[in-house]
């Protein structure tokens, strides 16, 4: 048995027996490269074929053809051309305003029933019996069953309780009491 050659650096290179996978890795990489080259060539050929077909179609232009030239002489006319279409020709609708709408049909006149007139409903009084008429200087002028009444925060309204606040809600002024909210109209 011979000893492997020693390099000047003192490192002994591994032999093929010591590296069993070295050849398989190389063969696998070569196979993968060949498959990639074949796939790339196929894609290039396909692109060339598609380009040539498009060029041919563009350069030759459209040529009208008749199916009669292709069919044998004993072939009769097509069934779909002689049956329905020849039986009832359709007049074209040339009205530009027709957009798939239904044709107008006269509507049968119905007798118009007169609605009974109802008497106007009386406006019910607010639950508290007060309506806000005016606000100025932190005081509110309220109209109730017994006439006008001016109140301030802390005052007592008969039937509505103590006035807690007089405030502007953005939609109008209101008077808030311990029992109800009084506004310019029914709330």
């Amino acid at each position: 048995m011979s000893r492997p050659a020693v390099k000047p650096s003192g490192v002994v290179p591994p032999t093929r027996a010591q590296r069993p996978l070295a050849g398989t890795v190389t063969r696998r990489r070569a196979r993968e490269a060949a498959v990639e080259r074949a796939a790339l060539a196929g894609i290039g050929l396909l692109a060339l074929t598609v380009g040539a077909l498009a060029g041919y179609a563009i350069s030759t232009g459209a040529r009208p053809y008749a199916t009669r030239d292709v069919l044998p002489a004993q072939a009769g006319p097509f069934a779909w051309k002689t049956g329905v279409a020849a039986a009832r020709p359709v007049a074209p609708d040339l009205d530009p305003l027709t957009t798939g709408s239904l044709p107008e049909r006269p509507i049968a006149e119905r007798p118009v029933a007169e609605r009974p007139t109802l008497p106007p409903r009386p406006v019910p009084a607010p639950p508290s019996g007060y309506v806000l008429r005016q606000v100025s200087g932190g005081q509110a002028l309220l109209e109730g069953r017994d006439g006008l009444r001016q109140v301030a925060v802390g005052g007592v309204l008969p039937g509505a309780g103590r006035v807690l606040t007089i405030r502007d809600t953005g939609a109008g002024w209101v008077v808030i009491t311990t029992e109800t909210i009084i506004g310019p109209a029914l709330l």
Side-chain angles (χ1 to χ4, degrees):
M1 183 153 172
S2 67
R3 289 185 59 126
V6 177
K7 287 191 176 180
S9 64
V11 177
V12 178
T15 63
R16 187 172 172 98
Q18 292 172 341
R19 299 181 311 162
L21 297 177
T24 58
V25 171
T26 305
R27 283 190 301 272
R28 186 183 62 187
R29 287 184 183 165
R31 238 186 347 258
E32 288 174 357
V35 168
E36 287 176 2
R37 276 189 231 109
L40 186 60
I43 291 172
L45 183 62
L46 180 64
L48 185 64
T49 304
V50 168
L53 178 63
Y56 172 76
I58 291 171
S59 66
T60 57
R63 291 193 178 109
Y65 65 93
T67 54
R68 277 287 186 211
D69 299 338
V70 180
L71 294 176
Q74 66 268 17
F78 292 117
W80 59 272
K81 284 191 172 183
T82 59
V84 177
R88 53 185 159 108
V90 178
D93 183 14
L94 302 177
D95 185 11
L97 298 178
T98 303
T99 57
S101 59
L102 297 174
E104 292 186 23
R105 295 182 183 153
I107 299 173
E109 294 292 327
R110 293 185 206 155
V112 178
E114 296 202 19
R115 282 200 244 165
T117 56
L118 299 175
R121 292 187 309 178
V123 178
S128 64
Y130 294 98
V131 177
L132 179 64
R133 294 296 178 209
Q134 184 179 359
V135 175
S136 63
Q139 294 187 343
L141 183 63
L142 303 174
E143 182 179 1
R145 292 182 203 106
D146 55 345
L148 294 175
R149 186 179 291 260
Q150 190 165 0
V151 293
V153 175
V156 177
L157 282 171
R162 182 174 301 277
V163 176
L164 299 175
T165 183
I166 301 169
R167 85 168 45 153
D168 184 13
T169 62
W173 287 88
V174 292
V175 176
I176 300 174
T177 67
T178 54
E179 296 180 19
T180 187
I181 298 175
I182 303 168
L186 286 177
L187 296 177

